[in-house]
Amino acid sequence: MDKREKILKAALQLFNQYGFDNTPTARITKEAGVATGTLFNYFKNKEELINVLYLTCKESLTRRLSAGLEQETTFRSKLKRIYINYIGWSLDHTDEFLFFQQFCNASCIGETTRKAGLSKFNNIMELISEGIEQEIIKNVNLEYMSNLLMGILNANTYYFIDHPSLAGDEVFIETSFNFLWDSIKN
Amino acid sequence: MDKREKILKAALQLFNQYGFDNTPTARITKEAGVATGTLFNYFKNKEELINVLYLTCKESLTRRLSAGLEQETTFRSKLKRIYINYIGWSLDHTDEFLFFQQFCNASCIGETTRKAGLSKFNNIMELISEGIEQEIIKNVNLEYMSNLLMGILNANTYYFIDHPSLAGDEVFIETSFNFLWDSIKN
DNA sequence: AATGAGATTGACTATTTAGTCATTTGCACT
DNA sequence: AGTGCAAATGACTAAATAGTCAATCTCATT
């Protein structure tokens, strides 16, 4: 693993545990096993580091979200696939998931970074739009719907993270998905 | 308003805007219009300040949540009352609501404080339990259910905060509550 | 008017931290 | 072995900040 990656990995863990401002760059480089100066070779400053981290995580997540989506035929099964992918990714990358929860609204993440991150969700937004048009799900505006979906999705994800054994429990996955589905279906 | 209150009010605004570590105590006292030393007369240190703030907000919220609850007769109407109270409080105390969202999991809030805050939700938890026992809502464990309810509640609240004119729109309140209700009802 | 106890002040200190930069190291190619 | 260049180093600096404390102020009581 090259030093840049080591720095990103250490920063992810430490930012999660202590927060952005409570993590000295010296601690990041120590954890990464590199010199303090090395961090500033790869990143202009501490803020650029966390912004790169944010986009890296977001890319990893969005890649996963659409995995196997094309195989699903109905709107419900597509949504369930996304649901499973989101939870699966969060279980495989818990540090990254928690990082998002902590920093998705933090001021150290720049507006540019946040916009770049959001654009990656476009195809999922389109799917939701179609569901509304076809009257499969309730007719409310897209902003409300995506807000709500993320809320339910994250609540479920937290629960799966606290009870990882449920990840293999098909029955509970269906049960929990139905909390989401029943909420929005027409 | 006495100086202690002024300090708490300034801290609330500044912590929200800049975060805990990015808000110098000097800035808090300046905003509050008192000397830097005064903060440390009323609070042992910066951490005690934020913990007091947390509990103060939580008390204000829980007082509001059960307002008028005894007048409601059905389980659904009780839950809707709590829903309206929560959103109403958040609109009246947006700074306090956002403070919670930012700091509910932050490490600067001590374990003792967090436990003290949680205990205030006991009566609402009991209501949920009854709803499950009476098979009015789905039978899942209480931790899952409360997790999910908070997720939906907060998602809705954010939307109302972004669109404050909806607060008086009975139809939209009912519509949005139904996203919650349809999710959990049996 | 005098008293004094508690509230308030703000200059000050000891510590921490982001970022710099002159120097050293590792390595690919002669 | 020699050369040159990018990568890496870590001692150092300038700035920021939590908390202290001796001095000052306020005001109820006599």
Side-chain angles (χ1 to χ4, degrees):
Chain A
M1 187 162 45
D2 73 3
K3 311 217 171 198
R4 198 184 113 108
E5 262 182 278
K6 278 186 188 170
I7 291 168
L8 282 169
K9 195 181 165 193
L12 176 65
Q13 286 175 343
L14 292 166
F15 287 161
N16 262 350
Q17 192 167 2
Y18 303 104
F20 180 69
D21 295 301
N22 254 329
T23 304
T25 53
R27 186 135 188 214
I28 298 172
T29 52
K30 191 183 168 190
E31 189 79 14
V34 302
T36 63
T38 306
L39 192 153
F40 297 97
N41 292 341
Y42 288 107
F43 307 96
K44 204 178 64 198
N45 52 36
K46 198 182 171 187
E47 214 166 81
E48 186 182 292
L49 167 62
I50 198 172
N51 278 272
V52 168
L53 204 47
Y54 182 88
L55 278 186
T56 308
C57 289
K58 198 99 184 187
E59 266 161 34
S60 159
L61 170 60
T62 42
R63 249 198 318 279
R64 174 76 165 261
L65 277 190
S66 34
L69 204 56
E70 66 290 347
Q71 296 168 25
E72 307 294 343
T73 52
T74 69
F75 179 83
R76 186 184 188 280
S77 69
K78 279 181 190 164
L79 200 62
K80 187 170 174 186
R81 166 68 35 185
I82 292 171
Y83 177 81
I84 289 171
N85 285 346
Y86 188 83
I87 289 170
W89 180 84
S90 302
L91 286 169
D92 292 346
H93 303 89
T94 305
D95 278 346
E96 283 87 340
F97 170 77
L98 294 174
F99 175 79
F100 267 133
Q101 300 304 310
Q102 186 171 4
F103 293 103
C104 61
N105 290 313
S107 59
C108 49
I109 304 294
E111 214 44 57
T112 320
T113 304
R114 196 167 284 120
K115 269 185 192 149
L118 263 182
S119 74
K120 295 175 193 303
F121 273 148
N122 280 346
N123 54 341
I124 292 174
M125 291 304 233
E126 264 174 51
L127 180 67
I128 307 289
S129 276
E130 287 170 26
I132 293 174
E133 276 164 33
Q134 295 171 22
E135 300 187 357
I136 301 170
I137 59 176
K138 293 175 184 170
N139 181 22
V140 285
N141 81 61
L142 204 54
E143 185 201 351
Y144 178 85
M145 184 63 89
S146 62
N147 231 12
L148 182 86
L149 284 175
M150 286 309 299
I152 299 183
L153 211 40
N154 285 329
N156 277 291
T157 305
Y158 272 116
Y159 194 75
F160 274 97
I161 286 175
D162 285 344
H163 305 82
S165 67
L166 291 172
D169 183 341
E170 287 293 339
V171 175
F172 186 75
I173 290 174
E174 173 69 15
T175 302
S176 67
F177 177 69
N178 272 330
F179 277 87
L180 187 158
W181 182 249
D182 290 344
S183 176
I184 65 172
K185 74 158 191 265
N186 235 335
Chain B
M1 187 160 48
D2 73 3
K3 309 214 171 197
R4 198 184 112 107
E5 263 182 279
K6 277 185 188 168
I7 291 168
L8 281 169
K9 194 181 166 192
L12 176 66
Q13 286 175 345
L14 292 167
F15 285 161
N16 262 349
Q17 193 167 0
Y18 304 104
F20 180 70
D21 295 301
N22 254 329
T23 304
T25 54
R27 188 133 188 217
I28 297 171
T29 53
K30 191 184 169 190
E31 188 81 13
V34 302
T36 64
T38 306
L39 192 154
F40 297 96
N41 292 338
Y42 287 108
F43 307 97
K44 203 177 66 197
N45 51 37
K46 199 182 170 186
E47 214 166 81
E48 187 181 293
L49 168 63
I50 199 173
N51 278 273
V52 168
L53 205 47
Y54 182 88
L55 278 186
T56 309
C57 289
K58 197 100 184 187
E59 266 161 34
S60 159
L61 170 59
T62 43
R63 249 199 317 279
R64 175 76 164 263
L65 277 190
S66 34
L69 203 56
E70 67 290 347
Q71 295 167 23
E72 306 295 343
T73 51
T74 68
F75 178 83
R76 187 184 187 279
S77 69
K78 278 180 190 167
L79 200 63
K80 186 170 174 185
R81 166 69 33 180
I82 292 170
Y83 177 80
I84 289 171
N85 285 346
Y86 188 84
I87 290 171
W89 181 84
S90 302
L91 287 168
D92 292 345
H93 303 87
T94 304
D95 278 346
E96 282 88 340
F97 170 77
L98 294 174
F99 175 79
F100 267 133
Q101 300 303 311
Q102 186 171 5
F103 292 103
C104 62
N105 290 315
S107 60
C108 50
I109 304 293
E111 214 42 58
T112 321
T113 303
R114 197 168 282 122
K115 269 186 192 150
L118 263 182
S119 73
K120 296 177 192 304
F121 272 150
N122 280 346
N123 55 339
I124 292 174
M125 291 304 233
E126 263 175 51
L127 180 68
I128 308 289
S129 276
E130 287 169 27
I132 294 176
E133 276 165 33
Q134 296 169 21
E135 300 185 356
I136 300 170
I137 59 176
K138 295 175 183 169
N139 181 22
V140 284
N141 80 60
L142 204 53
E143 186 201 350
Y144 178 86
M145 184 63 88
S146 63
N147 232 11
L148 183 87
L149 284 175
M150 286 310 297
I152 300 182
L153 212 39
N154 285 328
N156 277 291
T157 305
Y158 272 116
Y159 193 77
F160 274 97
I161 286 175
D162 286 344
H163 305 83
S165 66
L166 290 173
D169 183 341
E170 288 292 338
V171 175
F172 185 74
I173 290 174
E174 174 68 14
T175 301
S176 67
F177 177 68
N178 272 329
F179 277 86
L180 187 157
W181 182 248
D182 290 344
S183 177
I184 64 171
K185 74 157 190 267
N186 236 336

